[in-house]
Amino acid sequence: MSDYCLWLAAIPRPLSEADARVYWNLKEPTPGLTEALAGAAYFFVGSWQEKHLSERPQSGRSPAVRLFDWLFLRGTIDDYRAPALNPRLRDELTALYRPRPDDLPSESVAAHELERFLAGHMSWHLLPEETPRERHN
């Protein structure tokens, strides 16, 4: 069984639509995308396995998979983008992160840690990553 990890990558500037399209379609990274992710602030959210997945978005049986699904929808519906963290998105993410009765056991950070990261990166743009990218200083 595979384990999937979710790290939030907060980038200070928006991605171009072309870079966002490359990101969400899992294509070879562009220089702009590579630079943005190398300079991102990363936060580990949690992990899940195949058994946590659901065919319906926002219905995964783990807080981390629900956040991943929601960011994927927000990043690909209408236009390709890295969703901007604003109060509405923060509230949506924290609501999706709340435990549900049918959640299966999975690794997840405490909700207050996620809330602290989100509060510290308002107006930044979020992308879900499996692992943090290397920094190039």
Side-chain angles (χ1 to χ4, degrees):
M1 219 179 273
S2 296
D3 282 334
Y4 302 94
C5 292
L6 174 62
W7 289 79
L8 291 181
I11 57 176
R13 289 179 290 288
L15 289 178
S16 69
E17 185 173 348
D19 285 336
R21 182 179 300 277
V22 164
Y23 179 85
W24 292 113
N25 287 303
L26 304 173
K27 303 291 185 190
E28 192 64 32
T30 63
L33 181 55
T34 299
E35 180 182 338
L37 289 170
Y42 287 91
F43 177 77
F44 178 75
V45 175
S47 64
W48 67 89
Q49 297 175 325
E50 294 285 335
K51 65 184 178 185
H52 294 97
L53 301 176
S54 171
E55 292 296 316
R56 294 184 357 240
Q58 303 179 48
S59 299
R61 297 178 72 191
S62 162
V65 77
R66 288 192 294 271
L67 262 59
F68 174 85
D69 286 350
W70 191 234
L71 286 172
F72 181 85
L73 285 173
R74 294 289 300 266
T76 60
I77 301 300
D78 295 336
D79 298 310
Y80 284 91
R81 64 183 164 277
L85 182 56
N86 57 30
R88 179 179 174 191
L89 181 57
R90 178 203 57 211
D91 293 347
E92 291 168 347
L93 294 174
T94 54
L96 288 168
Y97 198 72
R98 288 188 194 108
R100 296 181 180 173
D102 64 342
D103 280 351
L104 298 173
S106 64
E107 182 180 12
S108 299
V109 298
H112 73 274
E113 293 178 30
L114 173 65
E115 292 166 9
R116 185 179 319 130
F117 178 80
L118 296 175
H121 295 89
M122 293 302 284
S123 81
W124 288 43
H125 301 266
L126 296 179
L127 293 171
E129 284 284 287
E130 188 172 331
T131 59
R133 303 284 175 113
E134 287 185 34
R135 292 187 181 272
H136 301 284
N137 295 331

